[in-house]
Amino acid sequence: MTEKDFIPKTYTNSVENGTATWSSPSNIALVKYWGKKDNQIPANPSISFTLDACKTTTTLTFSKKERNDDFSFEVFLDGEKKYDFKPKIETFFKRIENYVPFLKEYHFVINTKNTFPHSSGIASSASGMSALALCLMSVEKQLISIVRSSGVETSLDENHFNQKASFLARLGSGSACRSLEGDLIVWGEHKEIPNSSNLFGVKYPFEVHENFKNYHDTILLVDKGEKQVSSTVGHNLMHNHPFAEQRFAQAHNNLSKLIPVFKEGNLKSFIDIVESEALTLHGMMMTSMPYFILMKPNTLEIINKIWRFRQDTGLHICFTLDAGANVHILYPENEAQEIYEFIKTELVAYCQNGHYICDRIGFGAKQLPI
Ligand code: DP6
């Protein structure tokens, strides 16, 4: 597949107005995407667990307008008009216009809500951009009907629909392309993963051991403030980063190492890879120029407590981090009770206002009835 395969040939149907609603989850990377080339092409492959509880629901209402000269849209979060969301969506629309050429023909009203508080420090870009991309694909679906040689009219096939939605979501925010399906998604070309692509996410194609089914992710909200350095700025600092090439090679390597780990259910090796990835991500931030630190003192307190508890109990608890101070605690279903008890009694004290979110591995986005 190349970018050109996502440019539609012609729209066969004329549609005056309509609506579409999708609910799409967040995801947590195990091997991290950090560094990108032009057009949202990742510098290295990544793999993530799709989440379940942390999600965005977006309703897109569209109506034909008189002139096709510019984008026209309004955005609402929880029913409140959000002017500050517009620039990011405008950039998104510019990037995808070639692939969804109907964009300037309609006025769009985007109504969105998250299951997690907007100011939780949890990035809503993955769930938000994937939900919006799916809504736009639902519009495209209505504009296209394909007449097969049998004479039967069909619509876009599901595979193309999902692939293109992931392709569009990537152009909104890279990690968003991993949020459409579940439960393990790879984004970025990797020599051992057939059909892996820099353009969209694909389902992890190999065997996954029972140990990784229903995996838990309890998200400790250490700092709910706005990040001082955005992901976009952080990605850019990987250009000319002194360790960039080694880091990108390491990500390829870690993804290779995860293949037998997933197959055999080797939780010890899983932990080694996942925690190393998280600390390497933050290591890259600390060694870029300018350098920066997104972890907070409580992030380190939590990490140390996790290590001590793991050593004392032999339980398979581990952490990962995104580009922020919050800690994602990952653990298997059959150890969930004891680990959750530990989280509640020992770790919640380090969260801002005691806030945390219980999530687990999920299966991707869903269209909701009108
Ligand atoms: C640290 O997807 O938010 O969460 O493509 O600029 O929107 P943009 O970046 P974004 O970067 C996420 C980086 C990460 C790691 C990951 O999810 O793989």
Side-chain angles (χ1 to χ4, degrees), residues 27 29 31-34 36 40 46 88 125 172-176 178 231-232 235 281 322-323:
N27 67 74
V31 172
K32 308 289 180 181
Y33 148 57
W34 197 243
K36 60 178 162 182
Q40 295 284 101
S46 56
K88 195 155 187 193
S125 63
S173 178
S175 55
R178 298 188 312 237
S231 290
T232 306
H235 284 292
L281 169 71
D322 260 348

Side-chain angles (χ1 to χ4, degrees), residues 49 211-216 267 270 330-332 360-361:
F49 277 150
N211 282 352
F212 296 105
K213 300 278 147 81
N214 219 3
Y215 226 73
H216 290 251
L267 293 172
F270 175 79
L330 304 177
Y331 48 101
R360 59 177 65 203
I361 199 163

Side-chain angles (χ1 to χ4, degrees), residues 123-237:
S124 55
S125 63
S127 51
M129 285 297 175
S130 53
L132 183 54
L134 283 158
C135 288
L136 290 170
M137 283 307 294
S138 287
V139 180
E140 180 160 285
K141 193 172 173 175
Q142 295 182 42
L143 297 173
I144 296 182
S145 50
I146 301 161
V147 184
R148 305 248 176 240
S149 49
S150 60
V152 180
E153 262 197 30
T154 56
S155 181
L156 283 181
D157 77 78
E158 202 182 312
N159 190 35
H160 179 80
F161 185 99
N162 284 336
Q163 213 165 60
K164 182 163 174 183
S166 175
F167 171 88
L168 296 177
R170 181 195 105 246
L171 292 168
S173 178
S175 55
C177 78
R178 298 188 312 237
S179 270
L180 292 89
E181 296 179 279
D183 44 356
L184 265 174
I185 301 291
V186 176
W187 168 41
E189 283 166 20
H190 185 273
K191 64 178 188 320
E192 286 165 68
I193 314 246
N195 304 320
S196 55
S197 170
N198 287 337
L199 301 181
F200 47 82
V202 297
K203 280 189 182 204
Y204 177 73
F206 304 126
E207 196 181 332
V208 179
H209 192 276
E210 274 299 301
N211 282 352
F212 296 105
K213 300 278 147 81
N214 219 3
Y215 226 73
H216 290 251
D217 178 4
T218 301
I219 308 163
L220 302 185
L221 305 178
V222 171
D223 184 42
K224 304 194 219 164
E226 280 280 309
K227 285 187 277 188
Q228 305 101 310
V229 182
S230 73
S231 290
T232 306
V233 171
H235 284 292
N236 282 332
L237 291 173

Side-chain angles (χ1 to χ4, degrees), residues 12 23 41 43 77 83 129 160 190 235 262 311 318 328-329:
T12 46
S23 170
I41 298 299
L77 175 69
Y83 296 95
M129 285 297 175
H160 179 80
H190 185 273
H235 284 292
F262 282 135
Q311 196 164 22
C318 74
H328 288 249
I329 304 188

